[in-house]
Amino acid sequence: MRIALAQVDYTVGDLRANADLVLRLTRQAADSGADLVAFPELTLAGYPPEDLVLRASFRRASQQALHQLATDLAAAGLGEIAVICGYIDDDGQPNGAESGGARNASAFLYGGNVVATYYKHHLPNYGVFDERRYFVPGDRFVVVRHLGVDIAMTICEDLWQDGGPFAVAGRANVGLVVNINGSPYERNKDDVRLPLLQRRAAEASAPIVYVNTVGAQDELVFDGDSMVVKADGSLVLRAPQYVQDLYLVDLDLTAATAVSTEPRTAMRIDRHASTREPRSPLGDLDAPVLAPRMTDEAEVWGALVLGLRDYVQKNGFRSVTLGLSGGIDSAVVAAIAADALGGDRVYGVSMPSVYSSDHSKSDAADLAERIGAHYREVPIAPMVDAFVSTLGLTGLAEENVQARVRGTTLMGISNAEGHLVLATGNKSELAVGYSTIYGDAVGGFAPLKDVPKTLVWALARWRNAVAAERGEKEPIPENSISKPPSAELRPGQLDSDSLPDYELLDAIIARFVDHDEEVTEIVAAGFPEDEVRRIATLVNRAEWKRRQYPPGPKISLKAFGRDRRLPITSRWQEPAPVIE
Amino acid sequence: MRIALAQVDYTVGDLRANADLVLRLTRQAADSGADLVAFPELTLAGYPPEDLVLRASFRRASQQALHQLATDLAAAGLGEIAVICGYIDDDGQPNGAESGGARNASAFLYGGNVVATYYKHHLPNYGVFDERRYFVPGDRFVVVRHLGVDIAMTICEDLWQDGGPFAVAGRANVGLVVNINGSPYERNKDDVRLPLLQRRAAEASAPIVYVNTVGAQDELVFDGDSMVVKADGSLVLRAPQYVQDLYLVDLDLTAATAVSTEPRTAMRIDRHASTREPRSPLGDLDAPVLAPRMTDEAEVWGALVLGLRDYVQKNGFRSVTLGLSGGIDSAVVAAIAADALGGDRVYGVSMPSVYSSDHSKSDAADLAERIGAHYREVPIAPMVDAFVSTLGLTGLAEENVQARVRGTTLMGISNAEGHLVLATGNKSELAVGYSTIYGDAVGGFAPLKDVPKTLVWALARWRNAVAAERGEKEPIPENSISKPPSAELRPGQLDSDSLPDYELLDAIIARFVDHDEEVTEIVAAGFPEDEVRRIATLVNRAEWKRRQYPPGPKISLKAFGRDRRLPITSRWQEPAPVIE
């Protein structure tokens, strides 16, 4: 059977455009002789649609879009290719507490009909996922006979939980499992996917076609990484990350036999048939794609570029603006923006104060020139002086007012010229609250929100090395990488005045935040107790600032945002006081 | 049996202080001759603890705190009174996807022991609730025989879902059900609670003791409203809203008989005994409290005052600051703050611009004087002029810069003097994005975030009327109530230039936002189609601003914040385009 994996970038809520995408790629698949094309989870609605699912109008439209799609496929002469596609199934009941009408569904379309429908069994309700809020879990196992092969449908999380439909697939002797996904990127997640697929393929005793979406939606980036794994665990096809395309494979599948006795299983097995008979294969395909693994830096950079590009484009912006301080964070954000949109859509603004070093201006100008960005200088002294003299500010209040004047300046430029403002803060700063709310935290999107400072440096070096390899100009000035980090809000200020070395800080944050490790556990692992306690306290106290921070792409196990939902008001502290 | 309902205000994460509160009120209950005292849901952890539950240290400490409490009660000579108290049960397993070690639990303490433990069956995962993220549901029904009466324990949501433990209670012939709650305030919710309790009491054929917490946690306000309802539906006790206290009632309960045959039920019934025999009652109690119902305005005002007071106190602030424009929103926020903290902890700042009317200053000063707040005037012209001339801003950019200069001014004062900044925006503005991000949206807390503009006026009139009744000075200047609303960012500007009449706007928002009604449905109900469409579009487009807005107390069916989780990136629009 010739199978096409449609690794597509859809847009939440745009039912019409998403259906058009299915039509276009199904045409392409059919032209390539495919017998079946599979699209990602919730293809028509986009993923994750969040509380749109609570709107009856949206559920109904999603259901209607599926039936219209089946009709349109047939009308376009595409009735002979099977299409597996995700959508929101709506039984017309109001969504409510612990019950409700919506299901996360996969449909098998053939000959202008919805031949069969499968409802996701395992609804993830952890991390960034809230699927128990929206969907009723399915309890049936669905098999469709197509070209003489029994094909089972599953959806995303079904793969990640034990005791689900894959074991049933094995008992039901299916010839193929098609798993459709909206699986967000996370560092090293691709290393987990393949062994998992191998395990499930063995359980199902059948090949698995794994189709993931590509693209970004608010804080999530979907990396693609679609695959085909045989029952023996061999990897037949692996699509590249971050690329929208159609990927083809020819699979020699076990033909179904007449079903004599149904296996014993807790799930009811629903059987359907596409009514098409097996046929002789078309001409040979080229060998299927086996995309090489990317380095960690390349993978993260790809996620950040796609995360920003999709946020900008899907929200109708054409350009971005940001403050260029000459430091590493703003340089890396600008380079990401240039890779995502082209340098001519990036508007850099240097906003020197009396405390700014000369190199802060020259490094900013150098960066802008290297990436081909627009550049202007707006000295902030007149505004800062007006605040300081009117309000009589000193100390921290005076430091913060500089950052806030810069924020207001960028917003003024944004209001006047229509650019999206990018915040340049990184995860290390955000963790400990080392930023000025309404100052450097200003922006509609924050590309480095989930990137620790040490990784920001590593990305800068990696990006420059890639440029050097390609014989291009290195985008990030060496000086921005090598100079000691400073907020430059008072004379001679350095980050190291307030924070531990970033290597140490990031290691502690990774344990305390990303892995929820206890203070005592981190200390036991060899970290200095005073620093661990201080950082834990800073992290806990900065929750109120994080709550007002702009969204940014998740790349870690646990990103600030919907992934980590801590109360602002909390007297919990670690190590826990001994209760006696 | 003499029963005490401890309607207490605890703090999330403060295990020690929360346990002390239990000890203190149990002492008071014992001194009043009570045989049993019941505390609200998750008494020791505080509610809702959110992602603290994902920390093993927190789960373990919560479990330990319970056992320590049992010991401490006995050591304090309080072993003879039964204590029902909520806590997080931890079986030591790591919390993970779809399984996990934590349970939302209720414990029965007696004689220094944890006699029995009940795990919440129904875990709410809608609206503001994410309990499926944290807890494993219970599957046992727990009965404790105390003073010869079989007492069943249930928790909050168990009451709101059909088919739960109340029906089992009826079959098991219990003499009493104790339901402990963390039930957030919502307008008119108290009208639903009593009939619901009456229905469940009939199902259980037994009286229900309903104990709710009182206090506020970030965006949630818990109003108390604890009750005792007999099997025949009669209301025996009703505690006032927003008051922390201990409420006593004597109940004549049906004695348990020796259990011969267990009823058939899907839930396993666990039986325990407190080992204490029935005893003669102490002297008579006064008639139990039956708090009169409050008006809608009184109830909302109470929620806003308590919401602000608890946020300020539990987060360690002593005072608040806010911009006083002479308009209704800032006047009402200041009056709430004065009621919550006392006028001398309120620092009002008038920040007139060249477009400010004379009455904006005089009304602001008048308000401050009426509520006894500190007052100062900071004209913003020097800062605005510096921005406008440096950046050459005009139009909307110039309007916004005025609001942002005010925001930066308040943050400067906050940094210098340590006050919490209050944002004064209301729900109507927030819905349609009629506010300046980093301008009037600046603040750590936003008391009117969930209050529509028409209700802001009603609250002002109500609060003044209360003052008049009491013979006190009316806090809110009549002029602030009666003048047409204006942002005063350009000459002669009025809200009505950009927005429909607030009566119409609020009615549409209530349908579109709070009730998720469809555009076509709202139009069919008689609202003008062009306005409904325009407002729906404005609401959808303002999501990015709301995401960075400070927290504020939920009072409606659906508040902006965790209660309503819409994507920023979305091309969904209503009415849905016809797909053809």
Side-chain angles (χ1 to χ4, degrees):
Chain A
M1 191 181 297
R2 183 160 297 172
I3 296 168
L5 288 73
Q7 181 169 294
V8 293
D9 186 351
Y10 41 53
T11 302
V12 164
D14 204 344
L15 301 173
R16 177 72 273 178
N18 296 340
D20 285 345
L21 193 59
V22 173
L23 282 162
R24 186 160 61 79
L25 284 171
T26 302
R27 159 73 59 208
Q28 191 183 329
D31 289 349
S32 308
D35 301 302
L36 172 103
V37 55
F39 290 85
E41 185 172 10
L42 296 192
T43 323
L44 296 178
Y47 188 84
E50 304 188 75
D51 277 11
L52 286 176
V53 180
L54 303 185
R55 296 190 71 79
S57 52
F58 184 71
R59 296 197 302 274
R60 201 176 52 238
S62 174
Q63 174 99 339
Q64 285 167 351
L66 179 81
H67 290 278
Q68 189 61 47
L69 174 63
T71 309
D72 290 350
L73 284 164
L78 297 168
E80 287 298 298
I81 176 171
V83 175
I84 291 182
C85 143
Y87 75 104
I88 295 171
D89 191 88
D90 176 35
D91 66 4
Q93 298 300 308
N95 259 37
E98 304 234 348
S99 70
R103 287 179 178 82
N104 183 333
S106 177
F108 193 105
L109 309 180
Y110 183 78
N113 297 311
V114 180
V115 173
T117 287
Y118 168 82
Y119 302 143
K120 190 175 186 176
H121 282 64
H122 291 289
L123 299 174
N125 206 67
Y126 55 85
V128 299
F129 304 109
D130 282 318
E131 291 202 20
R132 287 268 186 177
R133 180 178 174 90
Y134 305 117
F135 302 117
V136 182
D139 56 6
R140 294 173 308 130
F141 181 77
V142 176
V143 181
V144 182
R145 187 160 300 174
H146 180 63
L147 300 177
V149 177
D150 278 352
I151 301 173
M153 293 190 283
T154 63
I155 303 176
C156 204
E157 188 75 5
D158 290 334
L159 191 73
W160 295 83
Q161 301 298 326
D162 286 328
F166 287 87
V168 180
R171 289 194 290 277
N173 284 318
V174 303
L176 177 69
V177 182
V178 176
N179 181 261
I180 65 175
N181 299 267
S183 175
Y185 172 70
E186 211 173 87
R187 285 170 83 182
N188 306 321
K189 195 175 187 179
D190 58 334
D191 301 333
V192 182
R193 282 183 189 132
L194 178 57
L196 181 66
L197 280 168
Q198 289 167 326
R199 189 144 65 88
R200 297 298 175 215
E203 240 178 85
S205 305
I208 301 179
V209 169
Y210 171 95
V211 188
N212 191 18
T213 182
V214 72
Q217 170 62 23
D218 289 351
E219 299 211 306
L220 303 182
V221 180
F222 301 91
D223 59 328
D225 195 26
S226 299
M227 285 182 256
V228 176
V229 173
K230 284 193 182 169
D232 66 4
S234 55
L235 178 66
V236 182
L237 177 152
R238 188 161 201 172
Q241 289 169 290
Y242 312 120
V243 178
Q244 165 164 312
D245 209 342
L246 192 75
Y247 300 93
L248 292 160
V249 64
D250 280 339
L251 288 179
D252 192 13
L253 302 174
T254 310
T257 50
V259 179
S260 48
T261 52
E262 282 288 353
R264 290 169 64 92
T265 158
M267 285 183 204
R268 201 180 96 201
I269 302 180
D270 280 0
R271 294 189 180 270
H272 306 268
S274 72
T275 71
R276 187 171 139 188
E277 289 308 305
R279 59 162 201 195
S280 307
L282 291 174
D284 284 352
L285 276 182
D286 292 338
V289 172
L290 272 174
R293 300 289 73 212
M294 298 167 93
T295 63
D296 186 41
E297 286 86 357
E299 211 180 72
V300 171
W301 191 268
L304 300 179
V305 167
L306 181 55
L308 176 60
R309 184 193 298 135
D310 264 17
Y311 190 88
V312 167
Q313 292 182 347
K314 292 178 179 178
N315 284 290
F317 289 97
R318 290 186 47 80
S319 52
V320 297
T321 188
L322 74 163
L324 298 181
S325 70
I328 184 67
D329 296 326
S330 57
V332 167
V333 171
I336 291 166
D339 280 1
L341 309 167
D344 62 323
R345 296 198 180 184
V346 180
Y347 291 77
V349 186
S350 165
M351 294 173 281
S353 75
V354 291
Y355 304 126
S356 296
S357 54
D358 287 340
H359 60 74
S360 74
K361 279 172 279 187
S362 57
D363 292 341
D366 182 17
L367 166 82
E369 198 265 317
R370 284 165 180 267
I371 63 172
H374 304 267
Y375 180 74
R376 78 189 85 177
E377 230 179 83
V378 181
I380 60 171
M383 291 82 89
V384 171
D385 291 349
F387 276 109
V388 169
S389 63
T390 302
L391 297 171
L393 301 176
T394 57
L396 179 70
E398 189 199 346
E399 292 182 27
N400 281 339
V401 101
Q402 296 169 59
R404 293 198 178 109
V405 163
R406 291 190 175 113
T408 298
T409 299
L410 288 175
M411 290 305 295
I413 292 170
S414 166
N415 283 160
E417 303 173 13
H419 321 299
L420 172 71
V421 177
L422 300 182
T424 59
N426 59 60
K427 186 174 192 172
S428 315
E429 291 174 358
L430 197 60
V432 293
Y434 195 71
S435 71
T436 302
I437 190 168
Y438 320 125
D440 52 298
V442 154
F445 199 70
L448 303 182
K449 184 176 183 181
D450 198 30
V451 184
K453 186 82 173 188
T454 48
L455 182 57
V456 176
W457 276 307
L459 290 173
R461 290 201 187 89
W462 171 85
R463 183 62 186 83
N464 276 358
V466 168
E469 253 172 54
R470 291 185 194 149
E472 296 167 0
K473 196 165 197 176
E474 297 176 349
I476 297 159
E478 179 54 32
N479 202 31
S480 295
I481 302 178
S482 57
K483 66 181 158 191
S486 165
E488 296 197 332
L489 295 174
R490 60 173 186 261
Q493 184 183 29
L494 291 177
D495 289 12
S496 52
D497 302 340
S498 317
L499 299 176
D501 180 77
Y502 277 111
E503 292 285 345
L504 179 64
L505 177 62
D506 285 355
I508 295 172
I509 290 170
R511 286 170 177 267
F512 185 76
V513 174
D514 295 26
H515 291 273
D516 272 321
E517 277 186 31
E518 303 178 36
V519 163
T520 48
E521 228 175 328
I522 303 172
V523 173
F527 290 84
E529 181 164 358
D530 54 340
E531 291 291 11
V532 177
R533 278 173 180 262
R534 180 162 74 106
I535 290 165
T537 303
L538 289 172
V539 169
N540 291 341
R541 283 199 191 144
E543 185 56 31
W544 74 277
K545 279 193 197 178
R546 284 191 290 268
R547 207 61 80 81
Q548 296 187 42
Y549 205 76
K554 168 181 162 78
I555 63 158
S556 76
L557 190 63
K558 191 170 290 210
F560 294 123
R562 296 217 172 151
D563 209 5
R564 186 174 185 270
R565 307 178 189 175
L566 281 166
I568 297 175
T569 305
S570 166
R571 295 225 179 112
W572 173 246
Q573 48 182 334
E574 289 184 25
V578 178
I579 293 179
E580 50 191 347
Chain B
M1 190 180 297
R2 182 160 297 174
I3 296 168
L5 289 73
Q7 181 168 294
V8 293
D9 186 351
Y10 40 54
T11 302
V12 163
D14 204 344
L15 300 173
R16 177 71 272 179
N18 296 340
D20 284 345
L21 193 59
V22 173
L23 281 163
R24 186 160 60 80
L25 283 171
T26 301
R27 159 72 59 208
Q28 192 183 327
D31 289 349
S32 308
D35 301 302
L36 176 116
V37 55
F39 290 85
E41 185 172 10
L42 296 191
T43 323
L44 297 177
Y47 188 84
E50 303 188 74
D51 276 12
L52 286 176
V53 180
L54 303 185
R55 296 190 70 81
S57 52
F58 184 70
R59 296 197 303 274
R60 200 176 51 240
S62 174
Q63 173 100 338
Q64 285 168 350
L66 180 82
H67 290 279
Q68 190 60 47
L69 174 64
T71 308
D72 289 351
L73 283 164
L78 297 168
E80 286 300 298
I81 176 171
V83 175
I84 291 182
C85 142
Y87 74 103
I88 295 171
D89 191 89
D90 176 35
D91 66 3
Q93 298 300 308
N95 258 38
E98 305 232 349
S99 70
R103 286 178 179 83
N104 183 333
S106 176
F108 193 105
L109 309 180
Y110 181 78
N113 297 310
V114 180
V115 173
T117 286
Y118 168 82
Y119 302 143
K120 190 175 185 177
H121 283 64
H122 292 289
L123 300 174
N125 206 68
Y126 55 85
V128 299
F129 304 109
D130 283 318
E131 291 201 19
R132 288 268 187 175
R133 181 178 174 91
Y134 305 117
F135 301 117
V136 182
D139 55 6
R140 294 173 308 129
F141 180 76
V142 177
V143 181
V144 182
R145 187 160 300 174
H146 180 62
L147 299 178
V149 177
D150 278 353
I151 301 173
M153 294 190 282
T154 63
I155 304 176
C156 203
E157 188 75 5
D158 291 333
L159 191 72
W160 295 83
Q161 301 298 327
D162 287 328
F166 287 86
V168 180
R171 289 194 289 277
N173 284 317
V174 303
L176 177 69
V177 182
V178 176
N179 181 260
I180 65 174
N181 299 267
S183 174
Y185 172 70
E186 212 173 87
R187 286 170 83 182
N188 306 320
K189 196 175 188 179
D190 58 334
D191 301 334
V192 182
R193 282 183 190 132
L194 178 57
L196 181 67
L197 280 167
Q198 289 167 325
R199 189 144 65 87
R200 297 298 175 215
E203 241 177 82
S205 304
I208 301 178
V209 168
Y210 171 94
V211 188
N212 192 18
T213 181
V214 73
Q217 169 63 22
D218 289 351
E219 301 211 306
L220 302 182
V221 180
F222 300 91
D223 58 328
D225 195 27
S226 300
M227 285 181 256
V228 176
V229 173
K230 283 193 182 168
D232 66 4
S234 55
L235 179 66
V236 182
L237 177 151
R238 188 160 200 172
Q241 289 170 289
Y242 311 121
V243 179
Q244 166 164 310
D245 210 343
L246 192 74
Y247 300 93
L248 292 159
V249 64
D250 280 339
L251 289 179
D252 191 13
L253 301 173
T254 309
T257 51
V259 178
S260 48
T261 51
E262 282 287 353
R264 291 168 64 91
T265 158
M267 285 183 204
R268 202 181 94 202
I269 301 180
D270 280 1
R271 293 189 182 270
H272 307 268
S274 72
T275 71
R276 186 169 139 190
E277 289 308 306
R279 58 161 201 195
S280 307
L282 290 176
D284 284 352
L285 276 182
D286 292 338
V289 172
L290 272 175
R293 300 291 72 212
M294 299 167 93
T295 64
D296 186 40
E297 287 86 358
E299 210 180 74
V300 171
W301 191 269
L304 301 178
V305 167
L306 182 55
L308 176 60
R309 184 194 298 135
D310 264 18
Y311 189 88
V312 167
Q313 292 182 347
K314 292 178 179 177
N315 285 289
F317 290 96
R318 290 187 47 79
S319 53
V320 297
T321 186
L322 75 162
L324 298 181
S325 70
I328 185 68
D329 296 325
S330 57
V332 168
V333 171
I336 291 167
D339 280 1
L341 309 167
D344 62 323
R345 296 198 181 184
V346 180
Y347 291 76
V349 186
S350 165
M351 294 173 281
S353 76
V354 292
Y355 305 126
S356 297
S357 53
D358 287 340
H359 61 73
S360 75
K361 280 173 277 186
S362 56
D363 292 341
D366 183 17
L367 166 82
E369 198 264 315
R370 284 165 179 266
I371 63 172
H374 304 267
Y375 180 76
R376 77 189 87 177
E377 231 180 82
V378 182
I380 59 171
M383 292 81 91
V384 172
D385 291 349
F387 276 109
V388 169
S389 64
T390 302
L391 297 170
L393 301 176
T394 57
L396 180 70
E398 189 199 346
E399 292 182 28
N400 281 339
V401 101
Q402 296 168 58
R404 294 197 177 109
V405 163
R406 292 191 176 112
T408 298
T409 299
L410 288 176
M411 290 306 295
I413 291 171
S414 166
N415 283 159
E417 303 174 14
H419 321 299
L420 172 72
V421 177
L422 300 182
T424 59
N426 59 59
K427 186 174 192 173
S428 315
E429 290 173 359
L430 197 61
V432 294
Y434 195 70
S435 70
T436 302
I437 190 168
Y438 320 125
D440 52 297
V442 154
F445 200 71
L448 302 182
K449 184 176 184 182
D450 198 30
V451 183
K453 185 84 173 187
T454 49
L455 183 57
V456 176
W457 277 306
L459 290 172
R461 289 202 188 87
W462 171 86
R463 183 61 187 82
N464 276 359
V466 168
E469 253 172 55
R470 290 187 196 148
E472 296 166 0
K473 197 165 197 178
E474 298 177 347
I476 298 159
E478 179 55 32
N479 202 30
S480 296
I481 303 178
S482 57
K483 65 182 160 189
S486 165
E488 296 197 330
L489 295 174
R490 59 173 186 262
Q493 183 183 30
L494 290 176
D495 289 13
S496 52
D497 303 341
S498 317
L499 299 175
D501 180 76
Y502 277 112
E503 291 285 344
L504 179 64
L505 178 62
D506 286 354
I508 295 172
I509 290 170
R511 286 170 176 266
F512 185 76
V513 174
D514 295 26
H515 291 273
D516 272 321
E517 277 186 32
E518 303 178 37
V519 163
T520 48
E521 226 174 331
I522 303 171
V523 173
F527 291 85
E529 181 164 359
D530 54 339
E531 291 291 12
V532 178
R533 279 172 179 261
R534 181 163 73 106
I535 290 165
T537 304
L538 289 172
V539 170
N540 291 342
R541 283 198 192 143
E543 185 57 31
W544 74 277
K545 279 192 198 178
R546 284 191 290 269
R547 207 63 79 82
Q548 296 186 41
Y549 205 75
K554 168 181 162 80
I555 64 158
S556 76
L557 189 63
K558 191 171 290 207
F560 295 122
R562 297 215 172 153
D563 209 6
R564 186 175 185 269
R565 307 178 189 175
L566 280 166
I568 296 175
T569 306
S570 166
R571 295 224 179 112
W572 174 245
Q573 47 183 334
E574 290 184 25
V578 177
I579 294 178
E580 50 192 347

